[in-house]
């Protein structure tokens, strides 16, 4: 059995394709139902976020898994398989592990370093367990990925890369709107990125800050944390009309903000002279500029769309006086940010190596257990013959003989089995040779492959989870 991941993200597909491939709850249920019935896939986990759709699986064969997962994705998304295939990536075995660890550390997110992926991965694991789609293989892998992500955030400033993303967005809109300190700002959404945006803007200072979210309780919690005003989702249109800058990241499927929610361009006062920003009336007036056409001066407004799929319809950015900044416009960041990314990559690389060594060593454990069971059977048979041939042997003498024989067998097997685990960790697999030499039935290894329930919550590298 080998781990495989097949999916698409902002790295493999244009945003328009990601938007078409986004799954609603019915689509997710349909995809998992198709995959759970596959003979090629023994375990399945779906990671579906605002910028990726990925299927992780423990697969019997590579080609069979690729075919079945690809067809299931095409059916669930409604996209032609040929078109979808052009945007898919496939990682197998060791590369699948490396990919998952990079995802959990925030390295593969469009907003590099965002921590929301940890919660999404944890929720995917919870759902997979509850549905019975995730077994010991993916369970252990995902739990280790979660630990890697936590380590990346605790030992580096990778979180600062996302903050810088928001700061770059503000830097792009300030020439259009004026200083942030005088702007009426609205944050749409209350997830990790929206929360980070609200905190970043609050620390920088703004004229006013409003939080809108589908769940009003979540909007109130975030607003309370940053000194903002919470507004109900039903008031979104009013909030948009009142705001100079709107930052949105909801993770919704489909646009949250489109032209239907926006008012017609508002005319400015008739004076065409630019005023000094120290004058409050001038500050308000300066957020308008003249555009060609019959409507005359219109209000300046800006939207920073941090979501994938997009929260803000492209047509909004085509309105007079409106500047729309998307993730694609925000670039790759500075040298300091690259240093943090490099530090996290080093952590991920080390964790991948450690995990693979532990997994390879663990992979020989069923065969080693079978060998020891075989040896124990041989010892038991020979001791039974000995008792039959020596009826006068006392119980104490028989016990000493039994102990001595067991010690001899243990010492004979100890060094070879330890070396087998060490060599497996280095990439050398001698399990097939061992089964051949001792005539061990490989089918019987399945009986000792799955640990008992009380041992399933241990770290494959040792210790408790």
């Amino acid at each position: 059995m080998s781990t495989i991941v097949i999916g698409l993200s902002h790295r493999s597909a244009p945003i328009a394709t990601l938007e078409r491939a986004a799954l609603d709850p019915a689509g997710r249920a349909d995809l998992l139902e198709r995959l759970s019935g596959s003979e090629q896939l023994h375990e399945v986990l779906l990671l579906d976020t605002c910028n990726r759709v990925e299927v992780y699986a423990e697969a019997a064969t590579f080609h069979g898994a690729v075919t079945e997962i690809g067809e299931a994705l095409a059916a669930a998304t409604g996209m032609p398989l040929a078109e979808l295939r052009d945007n898919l990536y496939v990682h197998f075995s060791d590369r699948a592990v490396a990919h998952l660890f990079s995802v959990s550390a925030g390295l593969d997110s469009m907003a590099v370093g965002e921590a929301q992926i940890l919660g999404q991965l944890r929720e995917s694991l919870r759902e997979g367990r509850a549905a019975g789609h995730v077994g010991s293989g993916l369970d252990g892998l995902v739990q280790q990925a979660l630990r890697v992500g936590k380590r990346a955030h605790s030992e580096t400033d990778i979180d600062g890369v996302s903050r810088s993303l928001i700061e770059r967005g503000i830097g792009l809109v300030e020439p259009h709107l004026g200083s942030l300190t005088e702007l009426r700002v609205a944050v749409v959404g209350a997830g990790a990125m929206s929360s980070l945006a609200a905190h970043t803007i609050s620390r920088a200072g703004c004229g006013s800050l409003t939080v809108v979210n589908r769940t009003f309780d979540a909007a109130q919690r975030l607003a309370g944390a940053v000194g903002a005003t919470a507004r109900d989702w039903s008031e979104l249109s009013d909030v948009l009309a009142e705001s100079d800058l709107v930052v949105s990241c909801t993770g919704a499927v489909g646009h949250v903000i489109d032209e239907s929610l926006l008012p017609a361009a508002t005319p400015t006062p008739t004076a065409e002279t630019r005023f000094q920003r120290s004058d409050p009336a001038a500050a308000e007036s300066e957020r308008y500029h003249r555009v060609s056409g019959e409507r005359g001066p219109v209000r300046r407004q800006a939207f920073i769309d941090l979501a994938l799929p997009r929260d803000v319809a492209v047509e909004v950015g085509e309105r007079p006086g409106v500047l729309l900044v998307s993730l694609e416009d925000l670039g790759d960041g500075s040298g300091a940010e690259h240093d943090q990314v490099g530090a996290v990559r080093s952590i991920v690389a080390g964790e991948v190596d450690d995990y693979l060594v532990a997994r390879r060593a663990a992979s020989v454990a069923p065969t080693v257990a079978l060998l020891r069971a075989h040896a124990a059977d041989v010892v038991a048979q020979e001791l039974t013959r000995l008792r039959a041939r020596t009826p006068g042997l006392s119980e104490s003498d028989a016990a000493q003989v039994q102990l001595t024989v067991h010690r001899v067998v243990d010492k004979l097997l100890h060094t070879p089995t330890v070396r087998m685990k060490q060599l497996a960790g280095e990439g050398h697999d001698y399990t097939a040779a061992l089964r051949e030499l001792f005539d061990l039935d490989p089918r019987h290894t399945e009986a000792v492959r799955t640990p008992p329930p009380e041992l399933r919550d241990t770290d494959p590298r040792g210790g408790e989870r």
Side-chain angles (χ1 to χ4, degrees):
M1 209 66 58
S2 298
T3 304
I4 190 170
V5 55
I6 300 178
L8 69 165
S9 72
H10 67 280
R11 295 188 181 276
S12 68
I15 290 177
T17 301
L18 288 176
E19 290 175 335
R20 292 174 58 202
L23 296 170
D24 57 18
R28 288 192 291 272
D30 176 62
L31 177 58
L32 287 171
E33 183 178 357
R34 292 173 184 274
L35 295 175
S36 62
S38 168
E39 294 183 357
Q40 294 292 328
L41 310 176
H42 291 245
E43 298 180 36
V44 175
L45 179 136
L46 172 62
L47 180 59
D48 176 31
T49 74
C50 61
N51 65 351
R52 74 181 63 249
V53 178
E54 293 181 337
V55 173
Y56 292 82
E58 289 295 307
T61 65
F62 173 79
H63 293 291
V66 169
T67 298
E68 295 202 4
I69 295 175
E71 291 176 349
L73 280 169
T77 61
M79 294 180 63
L81 180 58
E83 180 183 359
L84 185 63
R85 189 183 293 120
D86 291 338
N87 296 283
L88 292 176
Y89 47 79
V90 179
H91 299 297
F92 187 66
S93 191
D94 296 3
R95 291 186 62 184
V97 173
H99 176 75
L100 178 58
F101 286 10
S102 294
V103 169
S104 69
L107 291 177
D108 201 60
S109 300
M110 180 166 265
V112 174
E114 56 92 7
Q116 189 175 12
I117 187 64
L118 288 173
Q120 294 164 331
L121 185 56
R122 189 178 295 108
E123 179 62 17
S124 292
L125 178 59
R126 186 196 66 78
E127 291 177 353
R129 285 170 169 170
H133 298 151
V134 172
S136 60
L138 288 181
D139 195 305
L141 174 61
V142 174
Q143 289 202 55
Q144 184 60 26
L146 291 170
R147 286 190 285 271
V148 172
K150 292 177 183 177
R151 184 185 168 199
H153 285 280
S154 65
E155 296 184 16
T156 73
D157 191 30
I158 192 70
D159 306 74
V161 176
S162 290
R163 288 196 299 272
S164 296
L165 184 82
I166 295 164
E167 290 166 356
R168 288 201 301 276
I170 294 171
L172 288 176
V173 302
E174 279 190 315
H176 179 70
L177 295 177
S179 173
L180 178 67
T181 58
E182 298 177 359
L183 302 180
R184 298 163 296 185
V185 182
V187 173
V188 181
M193 280 300 292
S194 295
S195 176
L196 184 58
H199 280 85
T200 301
I201 291 168
S202 177
R203 284 194 299 268
C206 61
S208 66
L209 182 59
T210 301
V211 177
V212 186
N213 190 58
R214 291 185 187 275
T215 305
F216 186 62
D217 287 345
Q220 285 184 309
R221 286 194 296 271
L222 177 55
V226 298
T229 300
R231 299 279 291 273
D232 190 81
W233 190 256
S234 62
E235 300 179 81
L236 178 58
S237 182
D238 293 336
V239 172
L240 298 177
E242 298 163 5
S243 302
D244 304 306
L245 171 61
V246 178
V247 181
S248 187
C249 186
T250 67
V253 177
H255 296 139
V256 172
I257 300 171
D258 57 27
E259 286 194 287
S260 68
L261 291 175
L262 301 177
T266 306
T268 182
T270 55
E272 297 181 26
T273 307
R274 301 287 269 182
F275 295 91
Q276 296 299 316
R277 298 197 60 80
S278 58
D279 181 351
E284 180 67 21
S285 176
E286 195 162 305
R287 285 194 284 272
Y288 294 81
H289 70 155
R290 178 169 295 283
V291 295
S292 60
E294 297 179 357
R295 303 183 67 137
V298 294
R299 178 186 172 198
R300 295 187 184 198
Q301 194 174 29
F303 294 81
I304 300 177
D305 189 351
L306 300 175
L308 269 180
R310 291 185 181 97
D311 276 350
V312 184
V314 175
E315 293 75 18
V316 170
E318 297 171 354
R319 288 166 58 94
V322 172
L323 173 65
L324 174 57
V325 176
S326 69
L327 284 172
E328 291 176 306
D329 301 318
L330 296 179
D332 294 329
S334 66
E337 293 166 34
H338 292 160
D339 290 342
Q340 296 303 317
V341 170
V344 174
R345 283 178 176 156
S346 296
I347 289 174
V348 168
E351 289 281 356
V352 169
D353 287 344
D354 290 348
Y355 180 85
L356 292 176
V357 168
R359 189 177 71 172
R360 288 170 185 146
S363 69
V364 306
T367 300
V368 170
L370 190 60
L371 174 62
R372 288 189 174 277
H374 175 66
D377 288 343
V378 171
V379 168
Q381 292 169 10
E382 292 303 316
L383 288 174
T384 299
R385 290 193 183 98
L386 177 64
R387 281 180 175 275
R389 293 170 183 168
T390 56
L393 189 67
S394 68
E395 287 296 326
S396 60
D397 288 342
Q400 286 298 319
V401 170
Q402 180 176 346
L403 179 61
T404 299
V405 173
H406 276 295
R407 283 176 175 171
V408 170
V409 172
D410 285 343
K411 288 183 178 181
L412 284 173
L413 293 180
H414 175 72
T415 299
T417 54
V418 169
R419 285 294 293 148
M420 270 193 64
K421 293 179 180 179
Q422 292 173 341
L423 290 168
E426 296 168 5
H428 306 291
D429 187 358
Y430 289 97
T431 54
L434 195 67
R435 290 195 296 264
E436 184 69 24
L437 287 171
F438 289 91
D439 194 25
L440 304 176
D441 189 341
R443 293 172 296 180
H444 293 166
T445 62
E446 294 301 322
V448 292
R449 184 176 299 278
T450 302
E454 64 271 16
L455 298 180
R456 290 179 191 170
D457 287 332
T458 56
D459 189 325
R461 300 177 303 172
E464 294 184 353
R465 282 180 179 145

